[in-house]
Amino acid sequence: MNLNLIYQAILLILFLSFSFGPAFFSLINTAIKYGQKVGMYVAFGVVLSDYLLAVFSCIIVRFGMDSFLDQPNIQTALSIVGGSILIVFGLFYFKHQPQLNHEGETIEHVPSKWKMILKGFIFNFFNPTIWLIWLANVTAISKTLEFSLIKMIIYFSIILGAVLLIEIIKAKLASKIKKYVTQKLILIFNNLTGLALICFGSYLIIQYIF
């Protein structure tokens, strides 16, 4: 395989796995509160959205429509919508408080699998930065892969397979401290996650408007 493709793949895997974006904080927060299995559902939702964005980017680059997302109006609209969604979710984290039983212990209502998959999907899909990252990476390697739609999809599928594995490991590691989590720590995790999402959302809106 071309060394440039390997280099690009490693960089993209590292960026998608270890960038401190909304999806990262959501995954860690969920795994700490509910355990590895529920955290894995969020991870699957994140990678699923990445896969759809990768395929979409491959299609528009293959057929020469990549200039569409470069239009300022499109980028501004995506940023406002995505930023607003992140702010709303951030406010929800501040509002959501753990429920206690008569002994003062935290009552855990484990969310459904599909709800957690959707949660991961939304946090990642509505981040305009992720859209631009995928478009830039697909554009960068498209010539090396001879603008073949099949080759590009296979290439990015392998990358996302590696990303999913790392996301599962992250969920497992985060879940290890679940037994040390108290009510106070849950409140702190919620507030930090909410603050991070609000900051990301505000940054996206301010950056593209001003």
Side-chain angles (χ1 to χ4, degrees):
M1 179 182 285
N2 188 294
L3 290 178
N4 182 55
L5 291 179
I6 298 175
Y7 174 72
Q8 291 278 0
I10 293 174
L11 287 182
L12 186 55
I13 290 171
L14 292 176
F15 180 84
L16 293 175
S17 301
F18 299 104
S19 59
F20 296 97
F24 175 87
F25 284 99
S26 176
L27 171 63
I28 300 301
N29 182 285
T30 302
I32 289 175
K33 287 198 297 184
Y34 302 112
Q36 177 186 354
K37 186 175 181 180
V38 180
M40 286 170 55
Y41 295 146
V42 175
F44 182 79
V46 171
V47 175
L48 177 61
S49 68
D50 273 324
Y51 183 77
L52 293 180
L53 289 175
V55 172
F56 175 72
S57 298
C58 289
I59 291 173
I60 64 174
V61 169
R62 171 63 181 81
F63 295 101
M65 299 182 293
D66 47 304
S67 59
F68 173 74
L69 288 179
D70 287 332
Q71 298 179 32
N73 291 338
I74 298 298
Q75 292 189 14
T76 300
L78 287 173
S79 297
I80 292 175
V81 172
S84 299
I85 291 174
L86 292 179
I87 290 174
V88 170
F89 273 101
L91 293 173
F92 173 79
Y93 272 100
F94 275 108
K95 182 179 179 182
H96 182 67
Q97 303 295 331
Q99 297 180 339
L100 305 177
N101 58 21
H102 296 296
E103 286 74 32
E105 298 174 338
T106 303
I107 302 173
E108 292 188 0
H109 298 288
V110 180
S112 69
K113 173 176 66 175
W114 298 111
K115 182 179 180 180
M116 290 295 97
I117 291 175
L118 182 61
K119 178 181 179 180
F121 184 94
I122 289 176
F123 276 157
N124 199 62
F125 188 82
F126 287 99
N127 183 351
T129 304
I130 298 297
W131 286 62
L132 298 178
I133 288 169
W134 275 113
L135 186 61
N137 277 277
V138 172
T139 302
I141 62 93
S142 57
K143 184 176 181 180
T144 306
L145 293 176
E146 303 170 341
F147 295 97
S148 169
L149 186 59
I150 299 298
K151 289 181 180 179
M152 286 190 286
I153 291 177
I154 292 175
Y155 174 75
F156 287 113
S157 295
I158 294 173
I159 289 176
L160 288 174
V163 172
L164 179 59
L165 179 60
I166 294 174
E167 295 295 292
I168 291 174
I169 294 174
K170 282 161 54 180
K172 182 176 182 178
L173 292 176
S175 69
K176 292 294 184 181
I177 65 173
K178 183 178 183 295
K179 58 184 177 181
Y180 304 109
V181 172
T182 63
Q183 178 195 356
K184 185 177 180 180
L185 283 176
I186 290 178
L187 288 173
I188 293 174
F189 290 142
N190 279 354
N191 291 339
L192 288 177
T193 304
L195 180 61
L197 294 177
I198 291 173
C199 289
F200 281 121
S202 301
Y203 175 76
L204 288 174
I205 294 174
I206 293 172
Q207 179 188 32
Y208 283 94
I209 290 183
F210 300 104

